Amino acid sequence: MRAANALAKALVEEGVEVIFGLPGGAILEVYDALYDAGVAHITVRHEQAAVHAADGYARATGRVGVAMATSGPGATNTVTGIATAYMDSSPIVVFTGQVSTNLIGNDAFQEADITGITMPITKHNYLVTDPKKLLSVVKEAFYIASTGRPGPVLVDLPKNVTAADIEYNYPKKVVLEGYKPSYEGHIKQIEKAAELIMKSERPIILAGGGVKWSNASEELLKLAELIPAFVVTTLLGKGAIPEAHPLCLGFIGMHGSKYANYAVQESDLVIAIGCRFSDRSTGKVSEFAPNAKIIHIDIDPAEIGKNVRVDVPIVGDAKRVLSKLISYIKYKRRKEWEDKINELRRKYPLRYKKDGFKPQYVVEKVCEIYPDAIITTEVGQNQMWAAQYFKVKYPRQFITSGGLGTMGFGFPAAIGAQVAYPNKTVIDIAGDGSFFMNIQEIATCVYYSLPVRVFILNNGFLGMVRQWQQLFYRERYSATCIGCREHSFEKIAQGFGAVGMTVEKPSEVEDVLRELKDIDDPVIVDFKVDQHANVLPMVPPGKALHEVIDEEVE
Amino acid sequence: MKYTIAALVENKPGVLARVASLFRRRGFNIDSLSVGRTEREDLSRMTIVVEGDEKVVEQVTKQLNKLIDVIKVSDVTKNAVERELCLVKVNVQPEKRGEIIELANIFRARIVDVSRDSFIIEITGDEEKIEAFIDLMRQYGIKELARTGKVAMARGSKK
Ligand SMILES: Cc1ncc(C[n+]2csc(CCOP(=O)(O)OP(=O)(O)O)c2C)c(N)n1
Ligand SMILES: [Mg+2]
């Protein structure tokens, strides 16, 4: 069988439903095989979007997302997408075409050393030079991407390899001597953790994205209620526990609520689960939770002790570790701590000035009218307002580029989520700057009738950068104004064949949002919000979580 | 401080690049690195000497372990046999000939090439011995120097 056909068959065997990609010369054999292989293919308009879409698909479903591109420029266009998935531990497999093996190294037409380029941003990658190894590589790629700490794997396919004739024998099992994630967690360590928890008077749980990848939300909730402990999350952990739950304090970090950040600072025990203590979450790391002991549960041993000192490390899968940990815990009410937190909540609620047309208001209304929608975000102020004011109900509902902070991620990620869940409402809460970065994908939505909603919080600025210039660079707004009235997102959308709308006043927001429920087409709404709104509260970079900037609201 | 790390890795193209890329990306400082075959045909062994503190070495070890092509990583800084091989091409003036031969003998080094005005001397041993020998050769004028970097193996029967 032609190797390309064997690959297509293997993808079916792996349960791949859809590939996001864009063809070219070096990957033609594979596309030829895909023509009637029974795997759907979404042709994007830029390969970066293919990878973000595969990533969005993975984050929305927990299954491996698949992207495909040709050699050279096709492959290099995938780089930002791969780095985005890598930073947020998202399981994707990216197939790239490559020039034939006899040409590799000769600077052949459309040759790029994509395995070399992506070495530091993949969990693993392969250049397949022997057609006989193709199938075992594919098997390994899916296995590595989806197990342990998930992450992107790239498989580079020289054209002659995909054209070769091979026997189809897809391996049933993977044996990798150098890859054996530990899942169970050391029981002695779990006992030590339980001891610390029982002794603690002011415990707090910090849940990261790992809780979602491990499907450990149920166990997390049980643990939180059993101790009982308040729960804060990282940005990627949003939704690990329903945010309306009385124990949930929302996300911490640079733009977390004051009460969540203060709660961490005042705790005497942090139970960190599936998170990596990024600087955006911890603030000044030497002053993070200064009076607390730290239990760190993570599947990646390299994360433990990397950024913060840890008292009880537990290497293992969150779900399995938590279900064991629960059996050691007895309920113990901590009235003082409860009162303290409730006071912090009362004293320092999230709030904003309600004059003018505030972006926060749009997000609040989106949350009210579409509480079950899958939300993706772009990057910048829009992302932070979405995180602050959209109260997430379930684990895979909120999809955002946390680690890399990739503008242009949200829209293609929404496409991926929409493909995974055709009947759900999928909304990209966007910034004007970010939306421009993958605006061409409106065409993809229209072509495949994907009813993605893009809500642009249009402030005419690279707003988050403008905010930093205002706060830290003496209001010298260098290169951050990108215009607001000069172009029309409404007409751009219409030009692509999508529905475009413009909303100028807060009083129109609700009606427009409700009106959209009856529209089956992709929709782009341009909310012309206040140009100078800031994301607050804010922990300035390098400051501790309690050193917060805020504004007077009254 | 210097730490010596032994890594058993797949004998495949690109593995050295992965290890080197990891060190560069994470800002770890390689003092020396040597690679060679092992008792198993499909595996190579790398001996890496890194400069840093305990925290750095812990991260190096953990990050190396994360590479799929790396099978096993051990810190062999303590309680290990360490050897390095070094070739020194040294100037030889006729009246110094005997002196140099004598010094080589004391260090159990071998003269492996002789020309009218130079020797190539081969010496193996731990770092200290090699440094001491090189130091002594300086007075005659070292023309060229090549060191393999360290290889190391933990003592005892444990693998
Ligand atoms: C690809 C990329 N380039 C640059 C940045 C730096 N950056 C971070 S936020 C931001 C502004 C984003 O503007 P916009 O999408 O309009 O969002 P706003 O902050 O205005 O809501 C920029 C340029 C980035 N995160 N990603
Ligand atoms: Mg903007």
Side-chain angles (χ1 to χ4, degrees), chain A residues 304-340:
Chain A
I304 289 172
K306 188 181 83 180
N307 293 341
V308 299
R309 68 203 149 76
V310 172
D311 298 282
V312 180
I314 304 175
V315 177
D317 172 59
K319 192 180 183 73
R320 299 197 207 176
V321 172
L322 291 187
S323 55
K324 284 182 202 159
L325 181 57
I326 287 166
S327 65
Y328 291 91
I329 307 293
K330 285 199 189 61
Y331 181 87
K332 176 177 120 187
R333 188 154 184 210
R334 293 151 173 98
K335 181 82 174 46
E336 247 174 75
W337 184 225
E338 242 174 70
D339 292 346
K340 174 87 210 168

Side-chain angles (χ1 to χ4, degrees), chain A residues 415-441:
Chain A
I415 291 177
Q418 187 77 77
V419 168
Y421 297 108
N423 299 321
K424 277 202 165 179
T425 304
V426 181
I427 298 168
D428 172 29
I429 295 182
D432 45 331
S434 300
F435 187 52
F436 273 123
M437 291 217 175
N438 272 313
I439 197 164
Q440 77 284 346
E441 299 307 319

Side-chain angles (χ1 to χ4, degrees), chain A residues 166-456:
Chain A
I166 62 170
E167 214 178 294
Y168 186 82
N169 48 353
Y170 196 59
K172 291 271 171 297
K173 262 179 63 183
V174 177
V175 190
L176 287 164
E177 232 185 315
Y179 179 69
K180 298 197 173 89
S182 30
Y183 293 103
E184 293 306 330
H186 201 292
I187 202 74
K188 283 263 151 19
Q189 294 296 97
I190 294 176
E191 284 173 13
K192 266 195 222 164
E195 230 169 87
L196 278 190
I197 292 172
M198 292 312 296
K199 269 196 223 142
S200 157
E201 289 303 323
R202 301 189 303 281
I204 202 151
I205 294 174
L206 169 59
V211 174
K212 299 198 243 170
W213 289 123
S214 152
N215 294 316
S217 287
E218 218 176 287
E219 289 76 6
L220 172 69
L221 190 61
K222 252 194 215 158
L223 180 70
E225 288 177 346
L226 186 59
I227 298 177
F230 289 96
V231 180
V232 295
T233 71
T234 65
L235 182 64
L236 290 183
K238 252 179 89 73
I241 175 170
E243 293 194 294
H245 192 284
L247 286 174
C248 184
L249 303 179
F251 75 108
I252 58 163
M254 188 169 273
H255 293 294
S257 67
K258 280 203 236 181
Y259 58 84
N261 283 335
Y262 290 164
V264 171
Q265 293 303 77
E266 301 214 0
S267 67
D268 69 355
L269 177 68
V270 175
I271 308 157
I273 311 164
C275 68
R276 59 186 177 85
F277 295 99
S278 94
D279 53 282
R280 283 291 187 271
S281 288
T282 61
K284 186 177 184 183
V285 82
S286 59
E287 288 177 41
F288 173 76
N291 307 310
K293 291 228 156 54
I294 295 180
I295 298 168
H296 190 186
I297 302 166
D298 204 286
I299 192 132
D300 181 358
E303 286 306 337
I304 289 172
K306 188 181 83 180
N307 293 341
V308 299
R309 68 203 149 76
V310 172
D311 298 282
V312 180
I314 304 175
V315 177
D317 172 59
K319 192 180 183 73
R320 299 197 207 176
V321 172
L322 291 187
S323 55
K324 284 182 202 159
L325 181 57
I326 287 166
S327 65
Y328 291 91
I329 307 293
K330 285 199 189 61
Y331 181 87
K332 176 177 120 187
R333 188 154 184 210
R334 293 151 173 98
K335 181 82 174 46
E336 247 174 75
W337 184 225
E338 242 174 70
D339 292 346
K340 174 87 210 168
I341 297 278
N342 287 331
E343 183 199 321
L344 288 173
R345 264 181 172 156
R346 238 190 347 268
K347 250 166 103 180
Y348 305 109
L350 260 184
R351 65 220 162 129
Y352 61 93
K353 267 196 199 137
K354 304 235 157 106
D355 54 344
F357 187 4
K358 285 294 187 284
Q360 294 95 324
Y361 175 76
V362 177
V363 178
E364 279 187 318
K365 285 294 158 195
V366 172
C367 184
E368 191 184 307
I369 297 168
Y370 296 99
D372 295 304
I374 292 180
I375 302 294
T376 70
T377 79
E378 298 297 341
V379 166
Q381 294 182 311
N382 59 86
Q383 176 183 35
M384 291 301 131
W385 287 318
Q388 289 179 330
Y389 291 96
F390 195 96
K391 301 299 172 204
V392 176
K393 287 173 73 176
Y394 58 93
R396 299 187 175 283
Q397 187 180 9
F398 189 80
I399 296 173
T400 194
S401 166
L404 201 67
T406 308
M407 292 169 69
F409 167 79
F411 184 32
I415 291 177
Q418 187 77 77
V419 168
Y421 297 108
N423 299 321
K424 277 202 165 179
T425 304
V426 181
I427 298 168
D428 172 29
I429 295 182
D432 45 331
S434 300
F435 187 52
F436 273 123
M437 291 217 175
N438 272 313
I439 197 164
Q440 77 284 346
E441 299 307 319
I442 304 174
T444 308
C445 289
V446 170
Y447 187 80
Y448 292 100
S449 306
L450 299 168
V452 171
R453 272 81 179 102
V454 180
F455 296 159
I456 307 169

Side-chain angles (χ1 to χ4, degrees), chain A residues 86 115 119-126 140 144 149 176-179 300-308, chain B residues 10 12 14 17-19 21 24-26 40 42-43 55 58-59 62-63 65-72:
Chain A
Y86 182 71
T115 44
M119 209 173 264
I121 53 167
T122 49
K123 185 169 172 187
H124 197 51
N125 63 20
Y126 295 89
E140 284 176 24
I144 291 170
R149 178 180 182 173
L176 287 164
E177 232 185 315
Y179 179 69
D300 181 358
E303 286 306 337
I304 289 172
K306 188 181 83 180
N307 293 341
V308 299
Chain B
E10 302 267 358
K12 277 188 196 158
R18 278 180 210 283
V19 170
S21 155
R24 182 193 48 75
R25 177 165 99 78
R26 301 256 172 208
R40 266 175 62 180
D42 55 337
L43 299 184
K55 196 168 170 221
E58 187 188 325
Q59 266 298 306
K62 285 175 167 177
Q63 295 294 347
N65 258 319
K66 269 174 82 165
L67 296 180
I68 310 286
D69 290 334
V70 172
I71 311 277
K72 190 172 171 229

